[in-house]
Amino acid sequence: EDFWAAAQRLRPVELQLEELHALKLPKAQLKEKEDQLASKWKEKGYFDEQFLALDRATVFGRRLTSDAQGVDIGVLVPPYLPLFKGPGSMPSTSPVAWSKEMLETGEKALESWGCVLLRGLLTADDVKALRQALGLGERRAAEVGLWQQQQDPNVAMGRYTFGRLHLLLRGSPRYEMDAVAPHASLAPLVHKHFEIQDLAGNPIFLSEAQL
């Protein structure tokens, strides 16, 4: 339970567990390594009760203000190892089988260019479900914004940059989980990039993930 709670808060427990199992160690040695990994996670505070109990309302101030800058907004993402489809579960996208080669190629692109194109990361069914959940399709951009505000008046809408309509879905019980669901598919690459840059002592900056 603590493992999944940490994964939902984007701690790299899933990635590190996958990397360990990819070594294909004997069962006894694997169990020893898993115990060592769990101890390491505890030392880093991934299973800290106060951290896992954080409520979104207690960590996120007013939106569209400086109060929101650099603040842990408490957003949960669906873990990417299991596939949750049961009633009451969070929206999720299809699991992505990240190979070592895919992670290395993607990480090198991020390091060299600051961006990476991942074709087919989301399935056609995932895209269709996202478009339906967020009201996309035949509606024009402004119509999408107005439609979302009708469903949830808490959604902020504005044209803060030329030619783009921005919708702030953070904190929306209607849309936030659908919007963050695809991030679970990206999580292994993000974790790997952060891990490599952190070990190299480089500053880490993530601008955005465009879906």
Side-chain angles (χ1 to χ4, degrees), residues 41-75:
W41 292 335
K42 290 179 181 179
E43 292 175 2
K44 289 181 173 291
Y46 293 170
F47 299 154
D48 183 86
E49 292 184 4
Q50 292 183 340
F51 166 71
L52 296 181
L54 283 178
D55 182 79
R56 180 177 312 159
T58 67
V59 294
F60 190 44
R62 291 178 299 162
R63 306 187 317 167
L64 291 179
T65 71
S66 58
D67 294 343
Q69 295 180 6
V71 176
D72 180 358
I73 61 174
V75 172

Side-chain angles (χ1 to χ4, degrees), residues 146-203:
L146 292 173
W147 181 82
Q148 289 191 5
Q149 286 186 323
Q150 290 175 354
Q151 312 299 317
D152 182 2
N154 191 46
V155 172
M157 177 175 65
R159 295 188 182 275
Y160 310 115
T161 57
F162 180 76
R164 290 189 178 185
L165 178 69
H166 294 257
L167 295 169
L168 183 56
L169 306 181
R170 287 179 177 175
S172 169
R174 173 66 177 80
Y175 296 111
E176 184 180 66
M177 289 299 99
D178 287 298
V180 302
H183 291 68
S185 300
L186 292 167
L189 178 59
V190 174
H191 287 320
K192 176 55 67 176
H193 178 63
F194 279 21
E195 178 185 31
I196 291 177
Q197 298 304 312
D198 184 53
L199 290 174
N202 298 327

